[in-house]
């Protein structure tokens, strides 16, 4: 029995900041001081507050150390773990009050969260099955196999209102019901862990922090639909997730929780991992199944739907990681418990990956119906540098940009669709006043053009033409007629593309046209980028009356485009500088370097 437990984040974000070295250093220091039998070091999954990594939490005190360095470890061991004196200067400062240390759950980042899918992330060692079992792990599987019929399991999913967390939000119970209703000699359960949206890392964090929850949920799905085999399709760029998944599968086999005759009920179920090569289109269910079969990942026409002919042309059900992560808790706590959270048509919670122009970059889980303002301003800590919020992109390349006028929208599937966006897998990219919305639309379209599989003409050719139109606009070569043509092309691509990639690719263009058309008009009519982002419409200059002649801008210029003039402004001691616009490459180095705001762009 240990008197203290030290939890060190072992998620990808903190690992990249050397958290595993911190864990090793902790063990060395504790052993050197003879404390290794009193203090336990546990490597966990993501705590969520990624902006403050590497993260270390000491229990029972709950002391939350943030941005820890390897060289900080000896002090923490000596002062806190040996002498019992918390090192307050290394704590997350919001937890430090005048006469006490505030609980992490009372901080702005965590207070309004409700962790269901992420309940074990940052709590257990994901590489130890006993930790998962100690937190009710596999109890849900035992319950369904010994107390429930497959139809009762499906009805529980239907009653809970759980909708797929991977994109369109299709009811999970209905998907399982369709697959169960089709007889076949073999059925399959698949898990979509491909997660290709830029800025999205929700599924990765669940796999890294709580891999057994996905295995348990897939086995429950297998029992419900009558399947004996499952496949987890995970991108190869997630090495920590892949490693921990394989460890979890091996441990589940060892404990008899995967394989033959689980819990002595005669139910057989096994799971295999398949690695994806990073193709975004393989996030589409039929393309994913084609890839698992060993063929090029391209979507198939639907119908027939996977519930009829899926993997290897057999009835198949597919859900993403976050969807599965909710299922064991629904079984144990009941459909009513889950349905009590969220909105009328969107039940439960949703995990979001907060990124972009936000103070608290990280992973959050909130009840459906939480406002965008709450997520950005309260949980996310607002916009850095006192900048103004401009837009939030939800749903990645398939979603749309939500403007400030909808900052108080309650986030659920239907509300987002109504304003031209979508939930998607849960990426939430925040933009401020320095972002150009035309450039943002171009960025996402460049991504979808690169990721199109090329199977259907509307997507293969249409998105390319759409991108060319956007490039013209950002170069000041557009026209008002071009804006009309671009909008018409968007609707054509949406209506005629084979799969969800092409059908949703125009969404960033349509949403920015809808809410930020004035920026498009400025690019087309005035040949100006209001945000000063589009280089072809940008010009850097120096206000000679403000310039102090320090020459820092000239020293920073990589192409020697800045030279001194003969003009000395009144009250200044040195002559001002000027920029040769013919030589300037518009890198912005001079603008960033100037301490007197003499360099301006327009």
């Amino acid at each position: 029995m240990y008197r203290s437990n030290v939890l060190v984040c072992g998620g990808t974000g903190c690992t990249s900041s050397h958290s595993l070295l911190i864990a090793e250093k902790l063990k060395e220091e504790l052993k050197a001081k003879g404390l290794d039998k009193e203090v336990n070091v546990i490597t966990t999954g993501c705590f969520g507050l990624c902006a403050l990594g590497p993260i270390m939490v000491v229990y029972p005190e709950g002391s939350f150390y943030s941005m820890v360095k390897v060289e900080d470890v000896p002090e923490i061991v000596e002062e806190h773990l040996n002498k019992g004196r918390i090192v307050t200067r290394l704590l997350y400062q919001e937890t430090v009050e005048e006469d006490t240390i505030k609980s992490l759950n009372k901080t702005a980042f965590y207070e309004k969260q409700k962790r269901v899918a992420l309940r074990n992330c940052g709590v257990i060692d994901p590489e130890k099955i006993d930790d998962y079992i100690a937190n009710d792990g596999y109890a849900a599987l035992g319950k369904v196999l010994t107390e429930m019929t497959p139809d009762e399991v499906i009805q529980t999913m239907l009653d809970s209102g759980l909708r797929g967390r991977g994109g369109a939000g299709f009811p999970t119970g209905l998907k399982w019901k369709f697959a169960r209703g089709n007889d076949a000699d073999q059925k399959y359960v698949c898990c979509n862990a491909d997660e290709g949206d830029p800025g999205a890392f929700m599924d990765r964090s669940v796999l890294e922090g709580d891999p057994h929850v996905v295995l348990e949920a897939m086995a429950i799905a297998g029992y419900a639909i009558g399947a004996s085999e499952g496949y987890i399709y995970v991108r190869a760029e997630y090495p920590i997730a892949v490693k921990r998944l394989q460890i979890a599968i091996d441990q589940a086999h060892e404990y008899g929780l995967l394989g033959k005759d689980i819990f002595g009920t005669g139910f057989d179920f096994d799971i295999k991992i398949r690695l994806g090569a990073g193709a975004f289109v393989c996030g589409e269910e039929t393309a994913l199944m084609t890839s698992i079969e060993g063929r090029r990942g391209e979507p198939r026409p639907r119908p027939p739907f996977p519930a009829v002919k899926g993997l290897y042309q057999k009835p198949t059900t597919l859900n993403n990681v976050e969807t599965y992560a909710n299922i064991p808790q629904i079984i144990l706590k009941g459909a009513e418990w889950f349905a009590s959270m969220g909105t009328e048509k969107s039940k439960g919670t949703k995990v979001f990956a907060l990124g972009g122009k936000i103070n608290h970059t990280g992973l959050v889980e909130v009840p459906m119906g939480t406002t965008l303002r709450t997520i950005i301003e309260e949980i996310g800590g607002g916009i850095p540098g006192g900048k103004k919020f401009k837009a939030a992109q939800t749903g990645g390349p398939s979603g749309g940009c939500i403007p400030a006028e909808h900052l108080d929208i309650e986030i659920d599937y239907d509300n987002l669709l109504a304003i031209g966006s979508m939930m998607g897998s849960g990426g939430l990219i925040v933009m401020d006043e320095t972002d150009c919305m035309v450039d943002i639309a171009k960025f996402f379209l460049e991504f979808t053009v690169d990721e199109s599989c090329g199977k259907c003409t509307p997507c293969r050719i249409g998105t390319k033409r759409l991108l060319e139109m956007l490039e013209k606009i950002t170069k000041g070569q557009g026209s008002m007629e071009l804006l009309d043509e671009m909008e018409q092309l968007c609707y054509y691509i949406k209506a005629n593309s084979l799969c969800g990639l092409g059908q949703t690719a125009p969404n960033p263009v349509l949403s920015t046209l809808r809410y930020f058309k004035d920026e498009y008009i400025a690019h087309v009519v005035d040949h100006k980028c209001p945000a000063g982002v589009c280089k072809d419409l940008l010009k850097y200059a120096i206000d000679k009356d403000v310039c102090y002649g320090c020459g820092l801008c000239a020293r920073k210029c990589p192409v020697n485009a800045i030279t001194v003039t003969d003009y000395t402004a009144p009250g200044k001691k040195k002559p001002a500088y000027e920029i040769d616009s013919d030589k300037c490459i518009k890198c912005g180095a001079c603008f960033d370097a100037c301490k007197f705001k003499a360099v301006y762009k327009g």
Side-chain angles (χ1 to χ4, degrees):
M1 191 72 177
Y2 295 99
R3 64 172 172 84
S4 293
N5 288 288
V6 184
L7 277 58
V8 180
C9 177
T12 293
C14 287
T15 298
S16 67
S17 301
H18 311 299
S19 65
L20 298 186
L21 292 178
I22 290 168
E24 288 305 313
K25 183 67 173 175
L26 265 170
K27 293 174 183 176
E28 289 176 16
E29 291 289 322
L30 290 168
K31 188 171 184 180
K33 293 188 177 297
L35 299 174
D36 54 317
K37 297 292 190 289
E38 299 178 41
V39 180
N40 187 27
V41 179
I42 303 167
T43 302
T44 72
C46 180
F47 286 91
L49 202 48
C50 304
L52 296 180
I55 288 170
M56 176 196 301
V57 182
V58 180
Y59 288 104
E61 300 92 330
S63 304
F64 188 88
Y65 290 105
S66 61
M67 303 180 95
V68 180
K69 299 181 178 63
V70 175
E71 50 266 33
D72 294 326
V73 172
E75 182 181 1
I76 293 172
V77 171
E78 176 61 23
E79 293 298 314
H80 188 163
L81 299 174
N82 189 28
K83 297 179 179 178
R85 299 190 295 221
I86 296 171
V87 187
T88 55
R89 71 176 185 84
L90 295 175
L91 292 178
Y92 175 35
Q93 284 306 298
E94 194 186 331
T95 66
V96 181
E97 296 185 335
E98 189 173 343
D99 55 355
T100 187
I101 302 300
K102 185 165 64 174
S103 166
L104 194 59
N105 291 331
K106 297 299 182 182
T107 62
F109 183 79
Y110 289 102
E111 193 169 21
K112 293 192 175 181
Q113 292 194 50
K114 174 71 176 175
R115 289 193 153 208
V116 179
L118 299 179
R119 74 184 188 95
N120 284 331
C121 293
V123 176
I124 67 171
D125 184 338
E127 296 186 14
K128 292 182 178 178
I129 190 172
D130 290 340
D131 279 20
Y132 181 67
I133 291 173
N135 284 271
D136 296 327
Y138 290 104
L141 178 60
K143 180 179 179 179
V144 301
L145 293 183
T146 59
E147 300 177 20
M148 301 175 72
T149 66
D151 289 333
E152 287 173 338
V153 175
I154 291 172
Q155 191 60 50
T156 299
M157 291 299 112
L158 288 168
D159 293 342
S160 73
L162 176 65
R163 296 172 65 173
R165 299 304 196 240
F170 192 81
T172 302
L174 197 56
K175 184 179 284 191
W176 290 13
K177 185 176 182 179
F178 290 154
R180 175 160 180 78
N182 292 295
D183 293 329
D185 58 345
Q186 179 66 55
K187 295 182 183 180
Y188 297 99
V189 172
C190 290
C191 174
N192 183 351
D194 192 54
E195 195 172 50
D197 288 3
F201 50 95
M202 301 76 59
D203 290 353
R204 184 194 74 200
S205 296
V206 172
L207 294 176
E208 291 175 352
D210 195 14
H212 283 283
V213 74
V214 177
L215 306 187
E216 181 178 15
M218 289 179 69
I220 291 169
Y223 174 73
I225 73 166
S228 61
E229 288 187 39
Y231 287 88
I232 302 176
Y233 188 86
V234 57
R235 52 182 43 226
E237 295 98 317
Y238 287 177
I240 297 175
V242 173
K243 173 193 168 189
R244 289 178 182 166
L245 268 175
Q246 191 58 60
I247 290 172
I249 290 171
D250 293 342
Q251 290 174 340
H253 275 129
E254 184 182 343
Y255 277 54
L257 298 168
L258 283 180
K260 301 287 186 181
D261 194 26
I262 300 172
F263 286 114
T265 61
F267 173 63
D268 303 338
F269 191 78
D270 215 338
I271 295 175
K272 298 175 183 176
I273 299 173
R274 288 291 182 268
L275 300 184
F280 180 63
V281 73
C282 287
E284 194 276 337
E285 59 180 4
T286 61
L288 181 151
M289 293 173 195
T290 304
S291 183
I292 290 177
E293 293 168 0
R295 295 180 287 140
R296 178 174 175 168
E298 291 181 336
R300 306 168 185 166
R302 298 178 302 175
F305 290 94
V308 179
K309 287 188 177 181
L311 185 64
Y312 301 114
Q313 301 299 304
K314 301 293 185 180
T316 305
T317 190
L318 178 143
N319 296 106
N320 83 325
V321 171
E322 186 186 341
T323 309
Y324 283 125
N326 285 284
I327 288 166
Q329 288 300 294
I330 293 173
I331 294 295
L332 290 178
K333 295 183 178 180
E336 297 80 8
W337 164 79
F338 189 80
S340 69
M341 298 179 284
T343 64
E344 183 182 353
K345 294 183 179 179
S346 298
K347 304 298 185 181
T349 61
K350 182 71 189 80
V351 180
F352 290 98
L354 275 180
K357 309 290 179 62
I358 191 82
N359 278 310
H360 293 159
T361 302
L363 207 63
V364 305
E365 184 173 2
V366 294
M368 291 278 195
T370 302
T371 65
L372 187 61
R373 185 186 297 276
T374 298
I375 294 174
I376 293 173
E377 295 184 358
E378 298 182 37
I379 298 173
I383 315 296
K387 296 284 197 308
K388 291 181 181 178
F389 170 82
K390 189 171 189 177
Q393 172 86 4
T394 62
S398 304
C401 294
I402 304 171
E405 66 189 80
H406 290 306
L407 198 52
D408 290 306
I409 190 170
E410 294 184 350
I411 294 182
D412 67 13
Y413 292 100
D414 302 303
N415 285 347
L416 290 183
L417 285 174
I419 61 170
S421 189
M422 64 182 294
M423 187 79 73
S425 56
L428 203 164
I429 309 297
V430 180
M431 290 160 271
D432 66 18
E433 60 198 87
T434 63
D435 287 299
C436 169
M437 302 313 294
V438 183
D439 185 66
I440 291 292
K442 189 178 78 167
F443 165 78
F444 282 110
L445 202 62
E446 285 172 340
F447 179 86
T448 49
V449 166
D450 285 343
E451 294 294 339
S452 173
C453 74
K455 186 171 184 177
C456 73
T457 305
C459 180
R460 182 181 71 247
I461 305 298
T463 55
K464 182 67 175 174
R465 296 290 87 84
L466 202 55
L467 178 59
E468 290 168 357
M469 291 175 175
L470 281 171
E471 287 172 341
K472 277 188 176 182
I473 293 167
T474 56
K475 291 177 181 177
Q477 299 168 359
S479 65
M480 295 301 292
E481 291 75 20
L482 185 65
L483 294 184
D484 293 335
E485 291 175 19
M486 189 166 67
E487 189 169 4
Q488 291 173 8
L489 180 57
C490 284
Y491 288 116
Y492 177 84
I493 296 169
K494 284 178 71 71
N496 293 284
S497 293
L498 175 62
C499 81
L501 188 151
Q503 291 161 9
T504 58
N507 284 349
V509 181
L510 287 170
S511 65
T512 51
L513 272 172
R514 178 178 177 181
Y515 295 114
F516 301 96
K517 195 161 187 177
D518 57 325
E519 290 196 28
Y520 281 90
I521 293 172
H523 283 70
V524 168
V525 177
D526 301 327
H527 301 292
K528 286 185 178 180
C529 175
V533 171
C534 299
K535 284 189 176 183
D536 289 291
L537 303 180
L538 196 59
K539 182 180 179 181
Y540 284 92
I542 296 174
D543 187 334
K544 295 178 184 177
D545 289 321
V546 179
C547 180
Y548 275 78
C550 68
L552 184 58
C553 58
R555 292 195 293 274
K556 292 289 185 180
C557 180
V559 293
N560 299 317
I562 304 176
T563 55
V564 69
T565 68
D566 296 330
Y567 176 76
T568 301
K572 307 295 192 300
K573 296 180 180 180
K574 295 181 180 180
Y577 282 75
E578 66 181 1
I579 299 173
D580 184 339
S581 58
D582 292 331
K583 288 184 179 180
C584 179
I585 60 172
K586 304 171 184 176
C587 65
C590 57
F591 182 84
D592 295 334
C594 184
K595 299 176 181 179
F596 308 105
K597 297 185 178 179
V599 181
Y600 63 93
K601 55 184 177 178

